[in-house]
Amino acid sequence: MKAEQGLRVGVVGCGYWGSKHVRTLLSLEAVSRVCVIDPSDERRGAVTRVYPRVDEYRTLSEALGQLDAVIIAVPPTLHAPLALEAIARGVHVLVEKPLAPTVTECEAMVRAAEKKGVTLMVGHTFEYHSAVWELRSMVQRGDLGDLYYLDTARLNLGLYQRDVNVVFDLAPHDISILNYVLGSSPSMVECWGARNAHPRLEDVAQLRLYYDDPGVFANVHVSWLNPKKIRQVTMVGSNKMVVFDDLKAEQRVKVHDKGVTAMSDGADLTAVPMSYRHGDIVSPYLEMNEPLRVEDEHFLNCVQTGLRPLTDGESGLGVVRVLEAAQRAMSEGVAVRLPGRSESFTPAPALAGASAGAAPTILSGASHEEAAG
């Protein structure tokens, strides 16, 4: 296929995220044709009524001969079989998070893509969010001082999944954010969870991730069973503290000039133990973007140029390693160590130039709206 003809892209799965990918792809100049793939006539019809220009197929096998790239947005247990089928036909693949439910499947996908010479990318959408770029820049510049801890909360009433628990459904977002912002992977994982409304799948969980570099821990709270929708990341340092609230229409990132300083060594119980500092709250300017559009643009650019994606197969594999460790920690009640997983993360060349929350020139779009994920 000649580059000037545009890319033929298929979207497998006509659910919430699949329909969003269709909308995004139809707006991109690099795309000449979009098709939807889903065995359900009803689900395909719901998409084609809104976007009548798209073609439709019942199975991926029927469509592969007409495609250059495919986006897989189906339940996680189907990710590996469908991705491997597409890769075997030389088709480039973007898979929604998590890359697959097991490390073994992820490794098979990474090997297959390398052998076939095609792009494999995972939909860690928040790594394309200007607010997350700003958080990473703050850490790199040392704005917060020594990091004490990080805390994330991804809570809502639903949506219950059929094939994975709340850890595999929601925590991939926060693990990928933490890995990207800190520039490393956790060395040890603890996890506690409970099955409340669901008889088989945990619907609420708390993870604690320990990072050797920098020496800091992060708490991750995920729940399908919460009365209020919350999407927050908090970073607490010795100099400043920052809160990223993704549900805010404006001022999503707020930097608090707050802190504490020890006043005594604790030996004198009558002495004031701490001195508290209260300063300004500043909301830095962020380049407004739609992360899903940035993600899809980046995927297609990598397909056309051969660049390594920011969230490549190895990135997806790294997150699933943490998820598997968390599942074991939760099941066995032990802390699980991840040997050799604290090495420094190097951003992909295509986005390495992003600075202080500003996107590269090619990465632009409307404001971001996040749904159940």
Side-chain angles (χ1 to χ4, degrees):
M1 183 202 66
K2 296 181 180 179
E4 61 266 26
Q5 292 177 322
L7 295 169
R8 303 165 298 175
V9 185
V11 177
V12 186
C14 292
Y16 179 85
W17 282 112
S19 63
K20 279 189 171 291
H21 280 291
V22 171
R23 171 186 58 79
T24 299
L25 292 170
L26 288 171
S27 70
L28 299 179
E29 292 183 4
V31 178
S32 63
R33 178 187 177 195
V34 177
C35 73
V36 293
I37 302 152
D38 196 299
S40 168
D41 295 340
E42 181 180 356
R43 287 194 297 266
R44 290 198 317 277
V47 174
T48 56
R49 281 192 295 272
V50 178
Y51 307 107
R53 289 191 291 145
V54 305
D55 299 325
E56 55 180 305
Y57 296 89
R58 289 182 56 83
T59 68
L60 178 60
S61 300
E62 297 171 354
L64 280 176
Q66 308 297 319
L67 298 178
D68 303 299
V70 65
I71 296 174
I72 296 174
V74 296
T77 51
L78 298 176
H79 287 183
L82 292 171
L84 289 171
E85 181 181 358
I87 291 169
R89 295 285 295 274
V91 174
H92 305 275
V93 180
L94 166 59
V95 185
E96 273 298 341
K97 59 81 189 169
L99 184 60
T102 69
V103 167
T104 300
E105 289 174 302
C106 292
E107 290 175 336
M109 295 161 70
V110 170
R111 287 196 302 267
E114 290 176 349
K115 183 177 180 180
K116 202 68 177 179
V118 300
T119 298
L120 173 63
M121 179 169 153
V122 64
H124 292 161
T125 311
F126 280 91
E127 293 189 41
Y128 302 92
H129 197 307
S130 60
V132 176
W133 295 342
E134 177 66 14
L135 298 184
R136 178 179 167 90
S137 295
M138 289 180 186
V139 171
Q140 291 178 327
R141 294 192 303 261
D143 292 356
L144 308 182
D146 295 328
L147 281 177
Y148 288 155
Y149 73 93
L150 297 90
D151 189 273
T152 74
R154 193 165 301 273
L155 321 173
N156 200 10
L157 189 60
L159 297 166
Y160 279 75
Q161 302 300 314
R162 298 178 180 179
D163 59 343
V164 293
N165 63 17
V166 71
V167 173
F168 277 79
D169 180 41
L170 298 184
H173 283 312
D174 297 298
I175 296 169
S176 67
I177 290 171
L178 292 167
N179 287 357
Y180 180 72
V181 168
L182 295 175
S184 65
S185 301
S187 59
M188 189 168 68
V189 181
E190 294 177 303
C191 185
W192 305 266
R195 303 167 190 167
N196 295 287
H198 197 286
R200 185 173 54 87
L201 301 174
E202 289 82 6
D203 48 21
V204 61
Q206 294 269 4
L207 293 77
R208 176 166 287 185
L209 312 180
Y210 296 87
Y211 290 81
D212 290 341
D213 183 18
V216 69
F217 70 86
N219 299 313
V220 176
H221 185 194
V222 290
S223 177
W224 289 330
L225 197 59
N226 198 76
K228 184 178 179 181
K229 184 173 183 177
I230 299 174
R231 298 288 186 266
Q232 287 188 348
V233 177
T234 302
M235 303 195 302
V236 176
S238 58
N239 291 341
K240 294 181 181 180
M241 307 175 186
V242 61
V243 177
F244 162 39
D245 188 340
D246 195 41
L247 299 185
K248 295 284 188 182
E250 297 180 348
Q251 299 183 335
R252 286 179 174 167
V253 174
K254 291 185 177 181
V255 182
H256 299 253
D257 187 8
K258 293 184 176 182
V260 296
T261 303
M263 297 294 290
S264 70
D265 59 6
D268 183 357
L269 298 182
T270 64
V272 177
M274 307 297 291
S275 171
Y276 296 86
R277 185 185 75 256
H278 298 274
D280 294 334
I281 301 175
V282 177
S283 183
Y285 169 77
L286 299 176
E287 180 79 17
M288 295 302 293
N289 69 347
E290 182 188 9
L292 187 67
R293 180 185 176 90
V294 177
E295 176 186 281
D296 285 352
E297 275 188 316
H298 181 54
F299 171 56
L300 299 180
N301 183 50
C302 291
V303 168
Q304 292 176 316
T305 65
L307 285 175
R308 176 173 63 88
L310 169 65
T311 55
D312 61 5
E314 289 288 349
S315 173
L317 170 60
V319 168
V320 174
R321 288 189 193 279
V322 178
L323 294 173
E324 268 201 0
Q327 184 66 44
R328 180 187 164 197
M330 183 168 55
S331 300
E332 301 179 10
V334 298
V336 177
R337 185 164 291 279
L338 297 166
R341 292 293 156 189
S342 60
E343 62 270 13
S344 179
F345 171 79
T346 303
L351 295 183
S355 61
T361 304
I362 61 167
L363 304 181
S364 60
S367 61
H368 169 56
E369 294 182 2
E370 190 211 358

